[in-house]
Amino acid sequence: MSFASKGMAATAQDEAYRAILQDIRSGRYQPGERLIPETIARELAMSRMPVREAFQRLANEGLVLIRPNRGCVVSGLTIDEIYELFEIRSVLEGLAVRLAMPRFDAAALAELDDHVARMHRAGAAGGADWLTKHQEFHAYICGLSRRPKLIAQIAALHIAVEPSMRVWLHHVAQPAHATERQDEVVEAIRTGDAEHAEAVMRDHVLRTAPRLAEFLRKRGQAAGVPSTLPASTQI
Amino acid sequence: MSFASKGMAATAQDEAYRAILQDIRSGRYQPGERLIPETIARELAMSRMPVREAFQRLANEGLVLIRPNRGCVVSGLTIDEIYELFEIRSVLEGLAVRLAMPRFDAAALAELDDHVARMHRAGAAGGADWLTKHQEFHAYICGLSRRPKLIAQIAALHIAVEPSMRVWLHHVAQPAHATERQDEVVEAIRTGDAEHAEAVMRDHVLRTAPRLAEFLRKRGQAAGVPSTLPASTQI
DNA sequence: CTTTGTAATAGTGGATACACTCATACAGAA
DNA sequence: TTCTGTATGAGTGTATCCACTATTACAAAG
């Protein structure tokens, strides 16, 4: 289930949130595109209000930008922002794998191998869901850390770069190429050395950034609408 | 200005957000306390609606928990959650200081010393604003990393533990004791070794956790209302 | 042809109204 | 007395309405 939400929407607002999130992740709503509450509300057969509240949540997660009196646009990422997200993800996933190390017994390692195998299959099949399998691989490792907030933060980071990753994978990259790197991570975990595993994971995460960035630069994209921070937490 | 928001509220919703956030940080709204939109709306001379949207934002930041049809409560942190937040903060601030290292010229180092001096003064005066000065110290270092999202995340973490920190500092701890540790960080920065500075910062951040946790355990507090993840980002 | 002022329109933020859910208190049955 | 069902009230979620803002198109002046 990777980084998707589970359960059913209890409320209209939640339903709106999920629907919009899905459409941003999948790329249906492109960066820079303006989201009009009324339109989406009609689509989902509800009123504007729950849609607006969904916007709030999305804005807090940085997926959308709300400017007062000027509406809501899907916030693309600049190259710098993508780098930054990968930097953050590298240390967080490094932490996660370090904390997860004590829980990697034989069963966990076997399951980890399964994940890698699934990734390989999805990659070889040229399947578009390699990305999903890749996220599941990372999610499995992070999950073993048993740190709910850490897991949530990492998940949010995966989601933030997902749209960019999708166009990248769709247009050029052969996932198979990326897959071989995963083995390094698995190997490091197998050594049992937590510090080492952390370092390798950091490295592994960071390695993707420049390749994605280069692709986006060539496409001239990713200069869309710079996302902004939640207005709250500024220094 | 530490981790406070700047500028004026452009919208009623923003005003509500700031007001509630302030009251949670200061401890006026205790963990477990229920927040009734109507009441707060009356207090701020506005309607329920912007207050509700403010709740959404606060919920996303983990400061508040919204259960469908059951209202909004201030979410205290369990001991485990406090540890987790410090763990996350340690790697993020470690990253921040590493990235900030190239920008620590003579001027920056001087300003850093100023921050430490201010902290010492506030601590010696038994001032309640030692915490603020301490946050400013960290914020200054993080700010030099020039990573907006990283800075925002760290700020959010500082805010999350702020209520607990306030009761701790108010009841027992002598900030002066904590202050001497800062010098280690400054010293490490002065060496110019980024890896070393990162390690020291990690250590510095983590050191606070057990002391705070022990205090809260003795007080029997911190078992308030466990905060939850944004329903969105689960694995 | 460009610039500036103005009108029309789309869209946003907020208030109010209404329907539904949950919790509490209380009455009656066991 | 204890348990269960019901009624009542507080509070939540959503829809609709209104006032205001911003943007666009267009017209008049330079």
Side-chain angles (χ1 to χ4, degrees):
Chain A
M1 192 171 294
S2 86
F3 292 110
S5 47
K6 59 186 171 189
M8 245 265 293
T11 157
Q13 183 237 96
D14 204 47
E15 190 184 328
Y17 171 79
R18 289 166 195 237
I20 301 167
L21 177 64
Q22 176 56 33
D23 284 348
I24 290 176
R25 291 177 67 175
S26 73
R28 184 189 154 196
Y29 294 145
Q30 294 287 320
E33 183 172 344
R34 186 157 172 200
L35 299 182
I36 283 117
E38 194 124 14
T39 309
I40 297 174
R42 226 188 352 259
E43 245 176 63
L44 299 173
M46 62 179 70
S47 89
R48 270 183 331 123
M49 206 58 71
V51 176
R52 280 184 43 170
E53 293 182 332
F55 284 174
Q56 288 298 333
R57 289 173 64 182
L58 293 163
N60 267 40
E61 289 161 26
L63 282 94
V64 121
L65 175 61
I66 302 177
R67 288 176 306 165
N69 284 317
R70 245 175 274 181
C72 175
V73 297
V74 180
S75 62
L77 296 171
T78 65
I79 304 263
D80 283 349
E81 287 173 327
I82 286 179
Y83 266 103
E84 190 182 348
L85 290 183
F86 274 93
E87 283 170 343
I88 295 173
R89 197 153 79 72
S90 73
V91 296
L92 289 184
E93 293 212 35
L95 171 63
V97 74
R98 169 155 54 89
L99 296 172
M101 285 303 277
R103 290 196 181 77
F104 272 110
D105 52 18
L109 285 170
E111 196 162 345
L112 195 61
D113 286 333
D114 278 358
H115 277 287
V116 174
R118 273 197 285 274
M119 260 176 56
H120 271 102
R121 269 200 301 277
D129 64 349
W130 175 85
L131 183 56
T132 305
K133 297 287 183 266
H134 177 255
Q135 287 180 349
E136 283 173 7
F137 169 76
H138 280 267
Y140 179 68
I141 295 174
C142 294
L144 286 181
S145 75
R146 298 287 144 78
R147 298 292 196 281
K149 286 169 185 293
L150 178 60
I151 293 166
Q153 292 227 5
I154 293 169
L157 293 170
H158 275 274
I159 290 174
V161 295
E162 182 167 337
S164 303
M165 290 283 280
R166 283 209 185 280
V167 305
W168 179 38
L169 293 172
H170 184 264
H171 276 257
V172 287
Q174 48 292 58
H177 175 240
T179 308
E180 50 194 16
R181 297 294 188 187
Q182 319 296 334
D183 297 334
E184 285 179 12
V185 174
V186 175
E187 211 50 52
I189 290 173
R190 228 180 272 278
T191 66
D193 181 346
E195 305 284 327
H196 177 58
E198 176 172 13
V200 170
M201 176 61 91
R202 278 194 183 202
D203 219 53
H204 165 69
V205 172
L206 277 184
R207 225 186 279 281
T208 314
R211 293 191 290 155
L212 172 55
E214 192 199 10
F215 165 74
L216 293 174
R217 192 172 330 108
K218 277 184 183 159
R219 266 191 104 224
Q221 201 185 337
V225 171
S227 78
T228 26
L229 315 171
S232 54
T233 49
Q234 287 178 341
I235 295 193
Chain B
M1 193 171 294
S2 87
F3 291 111
S5 46
K6 61 186 167 190
M8 247 263 294
T11 157
Q13 182 237 100
D14 204 46
E15 191 185 327
Y17 172 79
R18 289 166 195 236
I20 301 167
L21 176 64
Q22 175 57 33
D23 284 347
I24 291 176
R25 291 178 68 176
S26 72
R28 181 186 157 198
Y29 295 145
Q30 293 287 320
E33 184 171 344
R34 188 159 171 195
L35 299 182
I36 284 115
E38 195 124 11
T39 309
I40 296 173
R42 224 188 353 257
E43 245 174 64
L44 299 173
M46 62 179 71
S47 88
R48 267 179 334 117
M49 206 57 67
V51 176
R52 277 181 50 114
E53 294 181 332
F55 284 173
Q56 290 297 334
R57 289 173 64 183
L58 293 163
N60 268 42
E61 289 160 27
L63 283 92
V64 122
L65 175 62
I66 301 177
R67 289 176 307 165
N69 284 315
R70 243 174 276 181
C72 174
V73 297
V74 179
S75 61
L77 296 171
T78 65
I79 303 263
D80 283 350
E81 286 173 330
I82 286 179
Y83 266 103
E84 189 182 349
L85 291 182
F86 274 93
E87 282 170 344
I88 295 172
R89 197 154 78 72
S90 71
V91 295
L92 290 183
E93 292 212 37
L95 171 63
V97 73
R98 168 155 55 88
L99 296 171
M101 284 303 277
R103 290 198 182 77
F104 272 110
D105 54 16
L109 285 171
E111 196 160 346
L112 196 61
D113 285 334
D114 278 358
H115 276 287
V116 174
R118 272 197 285 273
M119 258 176 59
H120 270 103
R121 267 200 300 280
D129 64 347
W130 175 85
L131 184 56
T132 306
K133 298 284 183 268
H134 178 256
Q135 287 180 348
E136 282 173 9
F137 169 75
H138 281 267
Y140 179 68
I141 295 173
C142 294
L144 286 180
S145 73
R146 297 288 142 78
R147 299 292 197 280
K149 288 169 185 294
L150 178 60
I151 293 166
Q153 291 228 5
I154 293 169
L157 293 171
H158 274 274
I159 289 174
V161 294
E162 181 167 336
S164 303
M165 290 283 280
R166 284 210 185 280
V167 305
W168 180 38
L169 293 172
H170 184 264
H171 277 258
V172 288
Q174 50 291 66
H177 176 241
T179 308
E180 49 195 13
R181 298 292 188 189
Q182 320 295 336
D183 297 333
E184 286 180 13
V185 173
V186 175
E187 212 48 52
I189 291 173
R190 226 180 272 279
T191 67
D193 181 347
E195 305 284 328
H196 177 58
E198 176 172 14
V200 170
M201 176 61 91
R202 279 193 182 203
D203 219 52
H204 164 70
V205 171
L206 278 185
R207 227 187 280 279
T208 313
R211 293 191 291 155
L212 172 56
E214 192 199 10
F215 165 74
L216 293 175
R217 193 172 329 107
K218 277 184 183 160
R219 265 190 105 227
Q221 201 185 333
V225 172
S227 80
T228 28
L229 315 170
S232 54
T233 50
Q234 289 178 340
I235 297 190

